[in-house]
Amino acid sequence: MTDFHLINSSPRPDNRDIPTSELTTPVDVAEYLFRRLHELGVRSVHGVPGDYNLVALDYLPDAGLKWVGSVNELNAGYAADGYARLKGISAVVTTFGVGELSAINAIAGAYSEIVPIVHIVGVPSTNAQKTGMLLHHTLGNGDFNVFSNMSNQISCAVAKLDNPREAPRLIDHALKECWIQSRPVYITLPTDMVQKKVEGARLEKPIDLRYTPNDPEKEHYVVDVVLKYLNAAKNPVILVDACAIRHRVLPEVHELVKKSNLPTFVTPMGKSAVDESVQNYGGVYAGDGSGPGVREKVESSDLILSIGALKSDFNTGGFTYKLSQLNMIEFHSSYVNVRYSGYPGVQMKGVLRKVIDQMDLKQLSLTPGPRPANLIRKSQEDLSGGEAITQSYLWPRLGQWLRKNDIVVTETGTSSFGIWETRFPEGVTAVSQVLWGSIGYSVGATQGAALAASDMGVERRTILFVGDGSFQLTAQEVSTMIRLKLKPIIFVLCNEGFTIERFIHGMDATYNDIQPWKFKDILAVFGADPKESKTFQVHTKKGLDELFGDEAFSSAPFIQLVELHVPKKDAPVALKAIAESTAKKNAQD
């Protein structure tokens, strides 16, 4: 797989018009681009208007696309990330310089987390760039490539649409790479190129989004090797991670889990990659952060079928995995590893398909594994009869309240760790940013995820858990949710600051404190109709139980915000363990 593509229309950009006599079906460049986005499944385009993209935005409605103006580009990028995780791909439009740089953190996060976003940047005209004009939104040095050079490092393709003869090909290539590699692409659209005529006949043939098939002989050999070790194993398990989701092998994963009935586990980034309602689901494996019985079962296995592993620090419990490569078969998007033997160029999708088809269930050795349930483990606070909503109470209790096909978004911090303790009903989709970990991501992502569900025409509750500190970074995106009439349930965990950072360093340090907000007033401040919104304040277990038992609340008829008060110095068990490990690693020379 190629990490970066720097694509230019030609060594010397040529913005001259194509004579219409040469075109069978003339269409404008912007129309071509947006019709291709619609073809890939995009229905809403996020972004912020700016003078270099305004004319292009006029083309959205005729291409069947809705404009979603966010309150800033960073939030728009987060929203596009959430949208893509549900819809398969997304698009965000920004303006040159100031706009695209505001979004770049979100785009970097999407690159890190393997999320396909088409980032379209309206840029100055090709003539202005050629002559180095001293324009607004530039660095004043005549260099119009500096920002695209930045984005090149966080994009799997860069397409500069500065030549109408090449624009359709560049667009198609960038969009294909975005889909196949499941990572952001960067497309510049100069103001004088928006209305240039190009050949629209290409639109009659959809972009080929098929993955290159494996070499049959290699694939056959790898499948035989996998089956040999699987049949010989005495205690095999399945471990599913993020890249199984990102590289679209969940149908194969689900079938493998159900057909084999092998004990199955997920990593934090793989949460919701399998149906957690099946009897062989064993919980979240994260080294020291694993649930009861999980670590023992996984690490004692003599064969781990690891699907789509992404071994980052928080995803591995602070690098506390204790797994031998001799007991691993690793399936990835571009290679398979069997113990210490590597098979580059063999993609997991084809291999998994044949393993499922050829697997002999009579030869599989099945051993029982842990069966997590949403049982509330008592903390000292709970045992003393306290009514405070502890982390050990909240997350299993949430699991009892969740419904089939919910979308659950959790913020970096207590929420993203606490959700490991929640066993999901069938069809739940989890959205979090475990690897990139940008505080505030979840609010924008909630908007995008809820909008994607709406665009797909399905009724799914979108539920956000975000800390009070994180919420303050991106709270404005609630305004967009209200404007779009989305219906998320937003739980703001009020614990007086940045709890995850307190446990890493500075438990009582002022830099981990925040100014308390009146969160219950947020919806009103952003102009929500009181008849189509509601807020709650919850301080006790009894209050939370009553709220969960209220069908008027649980049915999610409109946007709702819950100010949920939890103890300041309480955290999920997994967070405590990983924060300690992180602090030690940060202190190492």
Side-chain angles (χ1 to χ4, degrees), residues 356-391:
I356 294 165
D357 293 341
Q358 299 177 25
M359 187 168 50
D360 184 351
L361 300 182
K362 294 179 182 179
Q363 295 194 52
L364 295 184
S365 176
L366 300 181
T367 57
R371 298 186 64 179
N374 289 308
L375 299 177
I376 298 170
R377 289 181 287 161
K378 301 290 186 179
S379 67
Q380 284 302 116
E381 167 71 20
D382 299 318
L383 291 171
S384 65
E387 269 298 303
I389 302 168
T390 59
Q391 299 287 335

Side-chain angles (χ1 to χ4, degrees), residues 480-500:
T480 310
M481 301 179 202
I482 294 169
R483 180 163 55 85
L484 297 175
K485 297 189 181 301
L486 300 175
K487 305 174 183 178
I489 301 176
I490 301 169
F491 290 88
V492 180
L493 274 59
C494 299
N495 52 10
E496 302 179 49
F498 300 110
T499 298
I500 183 172

Side-chain angles (χ1 to χ4, degrees), residues 407-429:
I407 301 166
V408 180
V409 186
T410 51
E411 177 60 60
T412 298
T414 56
S415 302
S416 62
F417 288 92
I419 203 68
W420 302 1
E421 301 177 31
T422 304
R423 183 170 184 169
F424 290 156
E426 179 184 356
V428 169
T429 299

Side-chain angles (χ1 to χ4, degrees), residues 126 176 229 312-313 383 394 429 439 465 476 489 499 557 566 576 587:
T126 54
K176 180 174 182 175
Y229 284 115
S312 68
D313 50 359
L383 291 171
L394 173 60
T429 299
I439 293 177
F465 282 86
Q476 314 98 306
I489 301 176
T499 298
V566 296
K576 293 177 181 178

Side-chain angles (χ1 to χ4, degrees), residues 204-244:
E204 298 172 7
K205 183 180 179 181
I207 299 173
D208 183 3
L209 300 177
R210 291 174 296 178
Y211 294 88
T212 303
N214 291 326
D215 176 270
E217 188 174 350
K218 287 183 180 179
E219 183 176 89
H220 178 76
Y221 179 79
V222 172
V223 170
D224 281 350
V225 173
V226 171
L227 289 173
K228 181 184 76 171
Y229 284 115
L230 179 58
N231 292 337
K234 302 300 182 184
N235 184 23
V237 301
I238 299 170
L239 179 62
V240 186
D241 208 337
C243 289

Side-chain angles (χ1 to χ4, degrees), residues 81-99:
D81 183 302
Y83 188 96
R85 294 189 192 222
L86 270 292
K87 202 74 168 60
I89 194 168
S90 68
V92 60
V93 179
T94 62
T95 197
F96 178 74
V98 294

Side-chain angles (χ1 to χ4, degrees), residues 102-229:
S102 181
I104 204 167
N105 174 29
I107 301 300
Y111 188 92
S112 168
E113 298 255 336
I114 317 176
V115 179
I117 299 176
V118 181
H119 185 193
I120 302 164
V121 182
V123 302
S125 71
T126 54
N127 288 329
Q129 295 185 52
K130 189 183 305 182
T131 59
M133 291 180 67
L134 195 63
L135 298 178
H136 62 286
H137 299 342
T138 71
L139 298 180
N141 60 1
D143 185 352
F144 287 87
N145 293 315
V146 61
F147 307 130
S148 62
N149 290 341
M150 293 179 186
S151 286
N152 180 48
Q153 303 302 308
I154 53 171
S155 306
C156 68
V158 173
K160 295 182 177 181
L161 307 184
D162 48 20
N163 183 334
R165 292 187 181 276
E166 295 293 326
R169 179 184 66 81
L170 297 175
I171 290 169
D172 291 356
H173 179 82
L175 297 184
K176 180 174 182 175
E177 291 301 308
C178 185
W179 181 270
I180 295 295
Q181 297 196 40
S182 192
R183 277 191 157 128
V185 295
Y186 177 90
I187 299 176
T188 62
L189 182 56
T191 55
D192 60 332
M193 287 291 297
V194 171
Q195 297 175 307
K196 294 286 187 183
K197 299 296 182 184
V198 298
E199 182 55 75
R202 291 177 61 111
L203 293 169
E204 298 172 7
K205 183 180 179 181
I207 299 173
D208 183 3
L209 300 177
R210 291 174 296 178
Y211 294 88
T212 303
N214 291 326
D215 176 270
E217 188 174 350
K218 287 183 180 179
E219 183 176 89
H220 178 76
Y221 179 79
V222 172
V223 170
D224 281 350
V225 173
V226 171
L227 289 173
K228 181 184 76 171
Y229 284 115

Side-chain angles (χ1 to χ4, degrees), residues 8-29:
N8 265 297
S9 59
S10 62
R12 298 188 68 179
D14 184 354
N15 67 348
R16 289 177 294 180
D17 292 342
I18 303 173
T20 54
S21 60
E22 297 182 20
L23 300 172
T24 304
T25 311
V27 299
D28 293 358
V29 170

